[in-house]
Amino acid sequence: MSGGALRVVLGDQLSRGIASLAGLDKVHDVVLMAEVMGECTYVPHHPQKIAMILAAMRHFAEALRARGVTVRYVALDDEGNTGTLDDEVARAVAAVQPSRIIATEPGEFRVRTAMRGWAENTGVACEIREDTRFLCGIDEFARWAEDRRQLRMEFFYREMRRKHAILMEGDNPVGGKWNFDSENRKALPSAITPPHPRRFPADAATRSVIDLVAARFSGHYGSLADFGYPVTAHDAETGCADFLAHRLPYFGDWQDAMSAGAPFMFHALVSAPLNLGLLDPLDLCRRAEAEFTAGRAPLNAVEGFIRQILGWREFIRGIYWLHMPDYASKNALGADLHLPEFYWTGATDMRCMALSIGQTMKFAYAHHIQRLMVTGNFALLAGIDPDAVDQWYLAVYADAYEWVEMPNTRGMALHADGGIVGSKPYAASGAYINRMSDYCGDCAYDVKDATGSRACPFNALYWDFIARHEARFAGNPRMAMPVRSWNRMAAPKREALRARAARLRQALIEGDRL
């Protein structure tokens, strides 16, 4: 019986400087970490995601013990494990009898709601501290957003650059521009082969977790065979250094490119360990900046990488907390089709979809353009229910937690939030995928055809999407051009496009193979 504090550390709070551990008394305080079935199964998480989180938790607990910290660790297969975080907190309070509970605010609204009930449920005061690992606090973002008619990442990003003095010359951006995105849209030349990123073999502790996950979650989407995620801060740091040295210099030019033979391209692969807490976001930004300063990486690559962390990641989190819980039910476009089975199997003749989903099954990873402009774009054009798409993205990617997944999916990919995240839907025909990848050449469908029986489904679905939402998009300056193009088409062509789209949508409803 400690009489000290019960300090709760969640599975995505594996940072030595996490707020709930600040001021820890090694003599009296107890740290609670719990692997619970409820968190593993509220969506059918990819087995690699579950294995990564549990293995990282176990390594973090051992690192705490090595520092002399008392850790009450509840493993998934421990006798007496109640299966829920709430019940494990209550069980720990009964066993430890702490004077108070200390926790860091969680990343999901449902967990925060539950956490706010801990004091009443246990009879012990509960202090919930701000998560200071983020570079913009929830209240700070709300103040920035107040009285703004529209919230746009670009202007938020500029404020974050100024606040943290990243890539700045006084009050001006290095290079004279805030954003070099226009230079980061090249397709990968066939002569260039991206280097394979560093992967991490499982040690004994991780192997035991993999065996446990294989036994308990064999029915979940995805394979464990290619597990290679870092599960310690040391390995995450090693992976980061590998990116900075070998891929950052080329990241900018080809960050939007896709290639069948290079699933990772020149991407950093830091989002999974970063979202776990194994890496520090500001440190990542400063180290990337140092690569530019030293002349080892060009500005467009460094700025593009920093924008994803300092700009987009922080902006998305702010949007989530600003608009929850209503955000979770937004469906501005009235999308209502069920999620096609091929999202779970990869069994489709659309090569871009099969490759993107296939690598997701293999690695629990796809980069942002594959998520946005392939799987997300198809769901947008076809009109798939945002709830189902949300659950799929949350389940299949190792870096997915609701605070970052939902605004990216429901907002950026599906435009279901009606324009909160982005000023336009990111809708595109097969021409975009053909331009940015080598996927289309060997596809069963013809990317240059829109209405034939083997025409690329993205083409007719794109124009049908424009037609279905013409009234909404006609007044959008960034969508007015495709609406005008649709209205200028000859009537027979429009009829053929809509007929092809209707057949495709009916095939989705009936579960036919596309």
Side-chain angles (χ1 to χ4, degrees):
M1 297 186 183
S2 74
L6 179 69
R7 296 174 178 266
V8 181
V9 174
L10 304 182
D12 60 348
Q13 298 179 344
L14 308 181
S15 305
R16 186 165 179 171
I18 193 72
S20 52
L21 298 182
L24 182 142
D25 181 342
K26 293 180 182 179
V27 175
H28 298 104
D29 292 352
V30 174
V31 172
L32 171 65
M33 299 180 68
E35 306 170 2
V36 293
M37 189 63 75
E39 294 303 308
C40 295
T41 57
Y42 68 93
V43 295
H45 296 291
H46 197 298
Q48 288 194 37
K49 179 181 182 181
I50 299 173
M52 176 191 69
I53 294 172
L54 300 190
M57 289 174 66
R58 294 186 184 191
H59 283 88
F60 188 77
E62 286 307 307
L64 289 176
R65 289 184 178 119
R67 291 164 48 200
V69 176
T70 300
V71 180
R72 177 185 171 91
Y73 195 93
V74 183
L76 194 68
D77 54 352
D78 279 354
E79 185 177 354
N81 187 326
T82 62
T84 73
L85 181 60
D86 288 356
D87 288 341
E88 284 308 311
V89 170
R91 196 160 69 106
V93 167
V96 174
Q97 295 191 12
S99 59
R100 57 180 175 153
I101 303 168
I102 300 175
T104 302
E105 60 189 12
E108 299 197 355
F109 186 87
R110 64 179 179 85
V111 180
R112 187 178 74 173
T113 300
M115 189 178 282
R116 288 179 172 179
W118 287 355
E120 182 178 353
N121 293 343
T122 65
V124 176
C126 180
E127 177 189 352
I128 303 174
R129 296 177 175 177
E130 180 182 6
D131 192 342
T132 55
R133 297 174 301 171
F134 288 91
L135 305 180
C136 180
I138 294 171
D139 292 340
E140 179 185 359
F141 186 88
R143 289 192 297 272
W144 174 82
E146 191 174 9
D147 297 329
R148 291 177 185 264
R149 188 173 61 86
Q150 289 184 323
L151 306 182
R152 293 293 170 253
M153 190 280 291
E154 178 64 26
F155 301 109
F156 170 78
Y157 168 56
R158 295 178 186 184
E159 292 300 313
M160 290 294 100
R161 287 266 297 272
R162 291 188 180 102
K163 174 185 174 182
H164 296 284
I166 298 288
L167 289 178
M168 297 296 295
E169 293 175 338
D171 199 44
N172 298 312
V174 169
K177 294 197 304 181
W178 291 101
N179 186 316
F180 289 83
D181 191 45
S182 61
E183 299 180 22
N184 296 347
R185 300 171 184 170
K186 297 178 183 177
L188 185 72
S190 59
I192 294 180
T193 302
H196 202 74
R198 180 74 178 268
R199 304 289 281 173
F200 298 91
D203 61 11
T206 301
R207 174 51 56 190
S208 69
V209 168
I210 290 173
D211 292 343
L212 174 65
V213 171
R216 294 289 183 98
F217 306 103
S218 60
H220 282 211
Y221 167 102
S223 168
L224 277 164
D226 293 281
F227 184 87
Y229 282 98
V231 295
T232 67
H234 177 270
D235 284 351
E237 160 58 29
T238 300
C240 176
D242 179 72
F243 164 70
L244 294 173
H246 302 298
R247 300 191 303 285
L248 176 60
Y250 313 100
F251 169 75
D253 286 355
W254 297 301
Q255 75 174 57
D256 286 1
M258 299 173 283
S259 175
F264 304 111
M265 292 298 293
F266 293 98
H267 288 266
L269 275 70
V270 297
S271 57
L274 178 61
N275 290 350
L276 272 178
L278 300 179
L279 293 169
D280 176 78
L282 187 57
D283 178 66
L284 285 177
C285 292
R286 295 206 186 283
R287 291 175 63 189
E289 181 184 37
E291 294 300 302
F292 166 71
T293 302
R296 293 189 290 266
L299 183 56
N300 70 313
V302 171
E303 187 279 320
F305 176 70
I306 288 172
R307 180 167 12 102
Q308 289 192 357
I309 296 173
L310 186 61
W312 193 249
R313 183 175 186 262
E314 297 288 330
F315 178 76
I316 284 294
R317 178 178 183 256
I319 291 288
Y320 175 82
W321 287 111
L322 186 67
H323 290 282
M324 284 296 282
D326 293 343
Y327 198 89
S329 60
K330 289 188 178 296
N331 188 2
L333 302 183
D336 59 2
L337 263 63
H338 67 273
L339 187 74
E341 184 65 18
F342 61 71
Y343 271 79
W344 297 107
T345 66
T348 172
D349 293 336
M350 292 179 286
R351 190 165 182 252
C352 60
M353 293 288 283
L355 288 170
S356 297
I357 294 168
Q359 77 169 63
T360 298
M361 295 171 71
K362 185 174 183 179
F363 298 117
Y365 172 83
H367 71 67
H368 68 282
I369 294 299
Q370 293 170 311
R371 301 188 202 192
L372 176 64
M373 301 308 299
V374 180
T375 53
N377 184 30
F378 185 88
L380 169 70
L381 300 182
I384 298 173
D385 183 350
D387 290 347
V389 184
D390 251 350
Q391 290 184 13
W392 185 78
Y393 277 94
L394 185 59
V396 304
Y397 291 115
D399 58 4
Y401 301 88
E402 193 177 81
W403 65 267
V404 67
E405 174 275 324
M406 184 178 287
N408 271 304
T409 300
R410 197 171 290 256
M412 187 70 168
L414 302 181
H415 204 67
D417 65 1
I420 292 173
V421 166
S423 60
K424 66 178 286 290
Y426 278 81
S429 68
Y432 175 88
I433 297 170
N434 190 35
R435 184 169 66 252
M436 296 307 301
S437 77
D438 56 10
Y439 293 165
C440 299
D442 294 327
C443 185
Y445 291 102
D446 183 355
V447 71
K448 295 183 180 180
D449 188 8
T451 57
S453 62
R454 300 309 292 174
C456 173
F458 281 85
N459 293 337
L461 288 173
Y462 171 77
W463 288 113
D464 185 66
F465 173 78
I466 298 298
R468 295 199 315 270
H469 302 292
E470 177 182 355
R472 171 183 287 272
F473 296 151
N476 184 323
R478 299 186 68 190
M479 292 298 291
M481 183 178 293
V483 170
R484 288 195 299 269
S485 296
W486 169 254
N487 287 323
R488 284 197 298 263
M489 283 185 194
K493 183 176 182 179
R494 289 194 293 178
E495 291 169 5
L497 285 167
R498 299 217 69 180
R500 167 67 170 160
R503 290 192 296 271
L504 291 167
R505 283 163 56 86
Q506 188 61 34
L508 293 175
I509 292 170
E510 295 178 1
D512 295 340
R513 183 183 176 100
L514 285 187

